[in-house]
């Protein structure tokens, strides 16, 4: 039951060279370029102007407040735990949109999620225009919260770039995986329990395993990209997972699935390789598929 793409494709340039993977919109709290030092918005804690370190700013920030981190490299030991909803933003290159704010260290986003009656910017956290790097473990662990990531990069040297348990997380114009000048990460994205993750115009690159679903995780991936990935998708059996992959480009991918693993429900539409040739994640036609766990487990290797 393995699916294979039998050709390896040429190396690609960095993410900003692919206009189709730019965020859908740069609207939001304002323009965030290196020449715009966040004076455009009140209620902002600036690093290093107001707080010497990222850790200090996160501790001082109140619920719903913005932390603006200047261009350059900022690092810390261990992990920063974010237990309140806030807006974390950096600066970007106005020419190619690449983040200029580099954050070296691990994150855990664990603020309580909003209720269905209280969906507003003060209860949904955001990260934008930042590049997060970690040596191992999880670069960013998200537990039971609602976050929106825009023009953000999460890379890990050998660990997992992003781990999501419960909550809802949206990535727009982001990069998940390993850094192009280091070894591949183990997992680009893990989605488990009742988490829902949306990938829009987002690249999954330099991974041993791209996306892994567990329990009742839901993934919706649209107009995105899988590049330099040994195994694109995997699912723990048994599961109640759902996956929708549409208009996504795959190249330099060795295996589509981890052996015979599948989500309970799969919808595929308009996926293709670097030459524009259609790719089907399962079968030979677009559309919906439903898989029975007992059938998959009975044929497991």
């Amino acid at each position: 039951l393995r699916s294979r793409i039998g050709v390896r494709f040429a190396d690609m340039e960095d993410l900003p060279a692919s206009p189709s993977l730019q965020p859908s919109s740069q609207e939001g709290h304002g323009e965030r370029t290196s020449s715009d030092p966040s004076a455009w918005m009140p209620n902002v804690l600036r690093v290093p102007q107001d707080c010497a370190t990222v850790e200090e700013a996160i501790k001082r920030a109140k619920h719903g407040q913005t932390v603006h981190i200047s261009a350059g490299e900022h690092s810390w030991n261990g992990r920063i735990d974010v237990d309140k909803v806030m807006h974390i933003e950096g600066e970007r290159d106005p020419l190619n949109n690449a983040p200029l704010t580099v954050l070296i260290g691990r994150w855990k986003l664990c603020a309580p999620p909003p209720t269905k009656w209280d969906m507003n910017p003060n209860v949904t956290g955001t990260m934008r225009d930042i590049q997060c790097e970690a040596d191992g473990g999880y670069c960013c662990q998200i537990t039971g919260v609602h976050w929106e990531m825009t023009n953000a990069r999460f890379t890990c040297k050998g660990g997992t770039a992003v781990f999501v348990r419960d909550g809802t997380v949206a990535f727009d114009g982001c990069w998940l995986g390993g850094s192009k000048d280091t070894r591949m990460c183990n997992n680009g994205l893990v989605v488990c329990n009742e988490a829902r993750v949306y990938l829009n115009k987002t690249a999954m690159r330099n991974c041993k395993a791209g996306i892994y679903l567990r329990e009742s995780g839901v993934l919706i991936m649209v107009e995105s990209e899988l590049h330099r990935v040994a195994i694109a998708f995997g699912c723990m059996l048994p599961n109640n997972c759902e996956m929708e992959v549409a208009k996504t480009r795959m190249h330099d991918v060795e295996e589509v699935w981890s052996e015979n693993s599948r989500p309970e429900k799969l919808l595929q539409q308009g996926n293709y390789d670097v030459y524009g040739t259609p790719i089907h994640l399962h079968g030979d036609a677009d559309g919906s598929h439903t898989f029975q766990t007992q059938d998959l487990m009975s044929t497991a290797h």
Side-chain angles (χ1 to χ4, degrees), residues 108-113 141-147 163-167:
K108 183 177 182 181
L109 311 180
C110 51
Q141 182 180 359
I142 306 171
T143 304
V145 296
H146 292 203
W147 281 79
F163 178 92
V164 183
R165 181 188 297 274
D166 300 320

Side-chain angles (χ1 to χ4, degrees), residues 61-111:
K62 299 178 181 179
H63 181 87
Q65 195 167 14
T66 296
V67 173
H68 181 92
I69 308 170
S70 64
E73 185 175 294
H74 307 260
S75 63
W76 57 90
N77 294 321
R79 186 183 72 191
I80 291 180
D81 290 1
V82 181
D83 59 359
K84 50 204 165 188
V85 172
M86 63 180 64
H87 309 290
I88 301 170
E89 61 185 23
E91 298 176 1
R92 59 185 171 86
D93 190 320
L95 298 179
N96 61 15
N97 210 41
L100 297 176
T101 300
V102 179
L103 308 177
I104 302 176
R106 297 188 295 127
W107 294 90
K108 183 177 182 181
L109 311 180
C110 51

Side-chain angles (χ1 to χ4, degrees), residues 115-255:
T115 68
K116 62 182 179 180
W117 306 112
D118 194 21
M119 289 293 291
N120 63 65
N122 289 328
V123 290
T124 299
T126 62
M127 281 185 163
R128 66 162 62 224
D129 301 330
I130 60 175
Q131 179 170 325
C132 301
E133 302 177 0
D135 287 333
Y138 304 122
C139 179
C140 186
Q141 182 180 359
I142 306 171
T143 304
V145 296
H146 292 203
W147 281 79
E148 296 177 358
M149 314 297 193
T150 304
N151 195 36
R153 301 185 183 190
F154 299 90
T155 64
C156 195
K157 301 176 182 179
T160 297
V162 177
F163 178 92
V164 183
R165 181 188 297 274
D166 300 320
T168 300
V169 184
F171 295 87
D172 186 16
C174 295
W175 170 320
L176 312 181
S179 174
K180 69 177 184 178
D181 58 353
T182 62
R183 66 182 185 272
M184 301 175 81
C185 71
N186 292 334
N187 299 283
L189 171 66
V190 176
V191 183
C192 62
N193 280 19
E194 296 183 357
R196 299 181 66 90
V197 175
Y198 300 85
L199 303 179
N200 179 63
K201 296 184 178 180
T202 290
M204 187 77 57
R205 297 182 177 177
N206 307 327
C207 309
K208 295 178 182 178
I211 301 172
Y212 192 75
L213 272 65
R214 294 167 32 187
E215 289 89 38
S216 300
V218 175
L219 171 76
I220 298 176
M221 186 175 190
V222 180
E223 294 185 4
S224 294
E225 173 184 279
L226 288 148
H227 182 207
R228 299 192 204 97
V229 176
I231 300 173
F233 304 105
C235 300
M236 178 180 289
L237 297 176
N239 68 68
N240 301 110
C241 299
E242 299 182 22
M243 180 185 297
E244 177 181 335
V245 183
K247 299 180 181 178
T248 290
R249 180 170 56 186
M250 300 174 63
H251 51 104
D252 208 352
V253 174
E254 298 179 16
E255 302 281 349

